[in-house]
Each structure stands twice: as C-alpha cells, then as structure tokens.
Amino acid sequence: LTVEGAGTVAFPNGTTWTTQTSGTSNDLIEVNYTNDTFVAVGESGTILTSSDGNSWTSRTSGSTKKLTEVIYANDTFMAVGYEGTILTSPDGTTWTSRTSGTTIALRGATYGNSTFVAVGKSGGILTSTDGTSWDNRTSGTSARLDEIIYGNSTFVTVGNNGTILTSMDGTTWTSRTSGTTENLRGVRFGSSTFVVVGKLGTVLTSTDGTTWTSRTSGTT
C-alpha cells in the first residue's frame, strides 16, 4: 500500500497498481498496517482506516495539525505530527489527544524495550511507557530528526546534516559518525542490518548502529 498527495491511495500486488478512492483531497503522509487494519494519516489531522486497502473510512482525530507518522505497538495505535501532536487509539477508530509537553513538529515514532519514542524538529526526543504520559529527553543535537527505528536492542534515529543517534533505552543518546553531511530521511532494520537513506541517493548500512558504511545506490 502507498499513499500520495491529494488523498491518493493505491493497493498493489507489487506489479500492477490500482488507484482507490480515499474520500479526501488532503495530502496523505504515512500509512501502516497491523491488527488487521490499515491506517493512513496526513494534513489537517486526517486519519483514514481500511480493513482491505480498498474501502476507506474517515475518522475523527480531534486535531487539525499535520500528522506525519502512525505506528501500532503495545496494543495501541499512535500518530504524531506538528506542534507536538500525539494521538492514541486502541482500534484506529476512536482517537485521544495526549499532552506531549512540546510544540515542535514530531516526524517519527517507534516502540521498543517497552518504550514509545517520538522524534522531531530541533533534535526533539520524547519517551513514554504507555503512550499517554511523555518525557522530554536530551538528544545532544539541534538537527531535525526525521525517522526512528528499534532493532537489535537499539534505537536509531536519523536526520539533517548526516545526524545519527543511538540509544539502548530511549533516554540516553549517543551521536554516531555517519560519514556524510547529507540530510537523512529514513531508517529501517531487517536481516540483522540497519539501512539509512537520504538526499542525493545516500545509503548507509550498519549491523550495530554504531559503525556505518556508505553504499552506492546508483542514483542522486
């Protein structure tokens, strides 16, 4: 499943793609699937849900802020967004606003080691054990953080100016040498490897989150 601008949703078999009717013209930013439910989020507090990727239902988020990430963990859907917005839901249908204690734009979130972690602008990092009560953490950077993942017992977050930070618990963070000054936009973990991507075709890999190797992507 992919989401695009102007409320476009496509549901593929990987080869042939079909445009589906989302019911909104708002830009959609992120989508996730778990607990037998697709959840897409985007501009103006937009939240859509679907059981099959074909038929979509608009949900009341209670927010007008841009939502940038949605995850599911610990029996909870969580969406984060601009001006410190954090929303949680047990089912993707009914959403509750949480007090984040910040007004920065939150851009990424993950769950690991019994902890939710959200990251965003100005090096902002927040943690929570339940998704309800949040604490601000010191990241040691003022760079915008765009994405975070948990793997190999390690949180890894990436952002502007080649920033990579790691943490075992989400509270104490260590800056890592990425070998690049390009803005890093995404990070995932799989097959015992962290993969980071960014501007100008930047691809970095690491097995432990500490030592990073630049890879040739073949694109700028």
Side-chain angles (χ1 to χ4, degrees):
L1 179 77
T2 64
V3 296
E4 304 171 4
T8 300
V9 179
F11 187 70
N13 57 20
T15 302
T16 303
W17 294 76
T18 303
T19 298
Q20 307 295 343
T21 300
S22 69
T24 183
S25 60
N26 290 335
D27 285 358
L28 300 174
I29 310 299
E30 188 61 273
V31 65
N32 208 331
Y33 175 81
T34 193
N35 201 32
D36 299 322
T37 304
F38 292 100
V39 180
V41 301
E43 293 282 359
S44 303
T46 300
I47 298 179
L48 309 176
T49 64
S50 174
S51 60
D52 58 8
N54 298 304
S55 300
W56 292 83
T57 301
S58 177
R59 303 300 182 180
T60 300
S61 69
S63 174
T64 59
K65 307 306 179 185
K66 180 178 180 179
L67 302 177
T68 57
E69 178 76 284
V70 58
I71 65 171
Y72 180 84
N74 199 32
D75 299 322
T76 302
F77 286 97
M78 185 174 72
V80 302
Y82 279 31
E83 296 188 27
T85 300
I86 297 178
L87 310 175
T88 63
S89 172
D91 53 11
T93 300
T94 303
W95 292 83
T96 301
S97 177
R98 304 301 181 179
T99 301
S100 66
T102 184
T103 58
I104 67 169
L106 299 174
R107 304 186 65 86
T110 195
Y111 181 85
N113 194 28
S114 302
T115 305
F116 290 97
V117 182
V119 300
K121 193 176 179 181
S122 302
I125 297 180
L126 310 175
T127 65
S128 173
T129 57
D130 57 9
T132 301
S133 300
W134 291 84
D135 295 306
N136 275 279
R137 303 302 181 180
T138 300
S139 68
T141 183
S142 60
R144 188 181 90 178
L145 301 174
D146 265 329
E147 185 68 281
I148 183 170
I149 202 71
Y150 182 79
N152 196 25
S153 301
T154 305
F155 291 99
V156 176
T157 184
V158 303
N160 281 1
N161 307 317
T163 300
I164 298 180
L165 309 177
T166 66
S167 174
M168 303 297 290
D169 57 9
T171 300
T172 303
W173 292 84
T174 302
S175 177
R176 302 301 181 180
T177 300
S178 66
T180 182
T181 58
E182 298 298 340
N183 294 342
L184 304 176
R185 293 294 182 240
V187 57
R188 288 292 184 267
F189 180 80
S191 191
S192 302
T193 304
F194 291 98
V195 178
V196 170
V197 297
K199 288 190 68 176
L200 298 180
T202 300
V203 176
L204 310 174
T205 64
S206 174
T207 57
D208 57 9
T210 300
T211 303
W212 292 86
T213 303
S214 178
R215 304 298 181 180
T216 301
S217 68
T219 182
T220 57

